[in-house]
Structure formats: C-alpha cells, structure tokens
Amino acid sequence: MRQRQGPARSATWTRRLAVTALVLAALNLRPLVTSLGPVLEEARAALGMSAAVAGLLTSVPAVCFALVGSAAPRLARRYGPDGVVLAGMAAVALGLAVRPFVGSTPVFLTLSGLALAGIAVANVLLPVVVKQRFPDRVGMMTGLYSMALNLGASAAAAVTVPLAGAFGGDWRAGLGSWAVLAAVAVPPWAALVRDGRRPTGPRLGHQLGQGERTAGGDVAAEAGTRVRVARSPMAWALAAFFGLQSTSAYVIMGWLPQIFRDAGLSAEAAGLLFAVTSVLGVPLSFVLAAVAGRLRNQSGIAVLLGAFGLAGYAGLWAAPAAMPWLWAVLLGVANCSFPLVLTMIAMRGRDGATVIRLSAFAQSVGYLLSVPGPILVGVLYQHSGGWHGPLAFVLCLMVSQIAAGYFAGRNRQI
C-alpha cells in the first residue's frame, strides 16, 4: 500500500508544481511588451527614437517569436520542454533587468530581443506542456495560463506608470521592476527539470501521454515526427489566424495608449484604458478556452471575436475620446482570439509530437506574417500625423482575421 501511495503522491506533487510553473511562466509572457506602451513617449525621447523606429519596436516581438520559435521543437527534443522553458525564463529576467538602463536604441532593441527569445520558446512549448501533462484537461489548462498571461499583461500596463512614479518618475525603474516577476518564475521550472530526471512510475507516465516524457530528449512520439504540417491547409489556416490576431494584439499593445494620449487623455488614463483590454482577458480567456475545448468547431467563436474587434477599431477611428472605455472593452474581448487559437492548436494535433510541430509552425509563420503590421501603422502615423489611415488599415486586417478564423475553427485534425 505504501509503495502505491508513494508514486501517487509524487504524481500529485508534480502536477501541482507543473500548474505553478505554467502560471508563473504565463504571467511573464507579456509584461516586456505591455509595460513599454504607457511610457513609450518618455522612452522615445530619452533614446532619440523616431515613430518609425517605435513601430519597428512593436514588431520586434513578432520577429523574435518567429525566428526563435521555429527552433523550439529541436531544442525540446534535445533538452526537453521544461529545460528550454527554464532557460527562456532566465533570459526574460536578464533582459528585463538590464534593458531599461542602457542609453542607445540598438542596445535597447538587442536586450529586448534576448528577453523576447525566452518568451518565444515558452510561447511554443507551453501548449505542448499542457498537452503532455494534462491531456484530459487541455481546454481548462489552456484557459488557466491564458488567464495568467492576460493578468500579467494588464498588470504591467496599469502599474508601470505608478511604479515609475514611486521611483521619482523614472520610467527606467518602472520598466526594470518587472524583472522581479520573471526571476520568481525560474525556480519552479528548475524543480520540474530536476523532477523530470527522476525515474517516472507508470501512473505518472500515463498521465503525460503515451510515448512522451517530461523533460527528456524524446518528447515526441515517433509516429508524430513524420507529420509534415506545412502541407496541411489546416496548419496554414491556423498560421494565418495566429498571425492576424497577433498583428491586432501588437498594434493594441504598442499604439493604443498613444492613440488615447493623442486624443487628449493623460498618460495615467491611457495606461488604465489599455489595462482594461488585458484585464478583460483574465476571466474571458479561462472561460473561452474551456468552452472552445469542448466544442468540435470553433469557427463561430472566431467570427464573433472578430466582430468585436471591428467595432472597437471603428470606434477609435470615429471618435477615440468619445467613449474610450467602450472601445477598450470591445478590443479587450477581441484580444481573446489568442487563447482561442492556442486551444485550436492543441486540439488539431493528434498527439503531443504533432502539437509541438503544429505549434512551432503556426506561431513561427504567424508571427512572421504579423511583422509588417505594427511597422506600417507607425509609418502611416508618422507620415499622416493622425490615426485615420492607420486604423483603416487595421480594420481591413480584422476582416481578413475573421475569414482565417472561420477556416481554422473547422473540425479537422492533423
């Protein structure tokens, strides 16, 4: 009896540790980006950054996610998902700690790239961790870490300016404070790596899925390695949907506070309005992913979220200061396309190996597709001096997102 209780307790402890590590990692996937928006004007002035370069800065995450994310499957096969995410969290902490205190734009971008590389591998591998460790609760666990992701994003957007104020109005200190949260995420992943090196009983091994291990190099079932996702129309639909929703998300994260400030609102009000777009994702991400995980077809949800985005951007185009809270709410609901597409990725793969490849493909290609969007928004803003042109462009992209989401949501598996 005691011999049976030992593996059972070990399995329970490992699952709880995995949940803790998953949530802490998710909390750190967005503060690097969302903390910058509310103080972007001050950062641009201090670094001598033009609006076009600021637009490039909003696209740097997509570039890093695309280039580094494509390497995540190879890294996971060699070092295991847990080990790769551990290294990623350490890179995030280092980049966040040093980035604000440099004096040149190129170095600022380089350190941002370091931290974003850590986020990139976590972006790809967290759906894999969910599929392996919680195969019977994919929707719920995806919702949980999506909820944590939005919580981290909204907290960084809302608290960065007050944090800067607590340090005498120093925007650099406000940005650098988020390194502490990233550092807290490192120990749980280190514990998971150590735990994964121990002999695993059959009970825990079954929970992780047939033919898959927690932290070893053989994270993919042999049958899944032969799947060529690039030849699947479903994979391309997922990549297009992922890329278009990422474009919208990074436009919001990079430019929404500036849109409100240009409309006459204060920096604090702009930061709070931006935080609303993320705060809404905290409960909605959990509910949405859990519901989507129980449905065979998610096309209707994708179309509905796109309609919210159309309404929010149209409001910003017509009168940004008239009903700013309504526009923020609409865009916050539309941003829940992110947990939706993560749920789709986990459900479209037949096994953990296919999910690794599908996640890497959809995110890498998707982020590449999203690169030009924020840059073009910055260029259009600089040359036109207003937001009508940039927002009209984003509205067109939102229509394309609705179409891609409809096809990606169909009940197909790879």
Side-chain angles (χ1 to χ4, degrees):
M1 179 66 69
R2 292 181 178 178
Q3 292 179 347
R4 293 181 179 179
Q5 289 178 348
R9 289 178 180 176
S10 177
T12 300
W13 182 86
T14 300
R15 287 171 68 89
R16 290 175 179 174
L17 178 63
V19 172
T20 302
L22 195 71
V23 170
L24 286 174
L27 284 170
N28 285 282
L29 294 182
R30 291 297 177 268
L32 178 81
V33 179
T34 60
S35 62
L36 183 59
V39 294
L40 180 59
E41 189 172 301
E42 290 76 11
R44 284 178 56 192
L47 297 173
M49 188 186 302
S50 68
V53 174
L56 174 63
L57 183 60
T58 61
S59 289
V60 167
V63 174
C64 290
F65 294 165
L67 296 179
V68 180
S70 62
R74 292 190 296 274
L75 293 172
R77 283 194 295 270
R78 183 168 183 178
Y79 303 106
D82 299 338
V84 177
V85 176
L86 168 61
M89 289 297 102
V92 173
L94 180 61
L96 280 170
V98 181
R99 176 182 76 155
F101 303 101
V102 299
S104 70
T105 298
V107 179
F108 187 91
L109 291 174
T110 300
L111 290 168
S112 297
L114 171 66
L116 288 165
I119 296 173
V121 293
N123 275 337
V124 172
L125 294 178
L126 289 187
V128 178
V129 172
V130 169
K131 182 77 170 185
Q132 290 181 339
R133 294 186 178 277
F134 309 96
D136 55 336
R137 299 180 180 179
V138 170
M140 186 183 75
M141 295 307 300
T142 301
L144 179 63
Y145 87 74
S146 297
M147 182 172 65
L149 183 150
N150 281 285
L151 181 60
S154 60
V159 179
T160 297
V161 172
L163 279 174
F167 289 96
D170 187 355
W171 65 272
R172 300 178 187 272
L175 287 183
S177 299
W178 296 103
V180 176
L181 181 62
V184 171
V186 172
W189 285 99
L192 275 181
V193 171
R194 289 194 300 270
D195 185 77
R197 291 171 180 166
R198 300 172 184 171
T200 305
R203 180 185 180 94
L204 180 58
H206 176 72
Q207 290 172 346
L208 298 180
Q210 296 294 334
E212 297 166 354
R213 295 206 310 247
T214 311
D218 299 327
V219 297
E222 192 67 27
T225 59
R226 299 178 180 177
V227 177
R228 296 183 179 180
V229 296
R231 295 185 177 181
S232 169
M234 175 56 67
W236 282 100
L238 283 167
F241 183 49
F242 194 100
L244 289 165
Q245 67 83 28
S246 295
T247 300
S248 176
Y250 284 110
V251 167
I252 290 173
M253 285 188 282
W255 291 110
L256 186 62
Q258 190 67 53
I259 293 173
F260 284 129
R261 291 182 72 171
D262 287 348
L265 280 70
S266 66
E268 289 78 6
L272 287 174
L273 284 165
F274 174 51
V276 168
T277 64
S278 298
V279 168
L280 282 174
V282 175
L284 288 180
S285 293
F286 182 79
V287 174
L288 180 65
V291 171
R294 297 178 181 178
L295 300 176
R296 294 184 177 181
N297 188 307
Q298 295 84 29
S299 296
I301 299 177
V303 171
L304 180 61
L305 293 178
F308 275 90
L310 282 175
Y313 284 120
L316 288 178
W317 184 90
M323 292 185 286
W325 294 100
L326 176 58
W327 314 144
V329 168
L330 291 170
L331 293 175
V333 175
N335 261 357
C336 289
S337 296
F338 180 73
L340 176 63
V341 71
L342 291 181
T343 304
M344 288 179 179
I345 290 171
M347 295 179 67
R348 296 298 177 259
R350 295 183 184 274
D351 51 39
T354 306
V355 171
I356 290 179
R357 297 167 69 85
L358 182 58
S359 179
F361 176 81
Q363 294 199 41
S364 296
V365 174
Y367 280 125
L368 278 177
L369 291 174
S370 72
V371 169
I375 298 176
L376 289 174
V377 168
V379 171
L380 289 171
Y381 171 57
Q382 180 169 335
H383 285 281
S384 67
W387 287 106
H388 279 169
L391 289 172
F393 168 68
V394 177
L395 281 166
C396 293
L397 293 181
M398 185 58 62
V399 174
S400 300
Q401 177 184 320
I402 291 173
Y406 174 81
F407 288 106
R410 292 181 300 171
N411 182 25
R412 303 285 192 277
Q413 275 199 323
I414 302 173

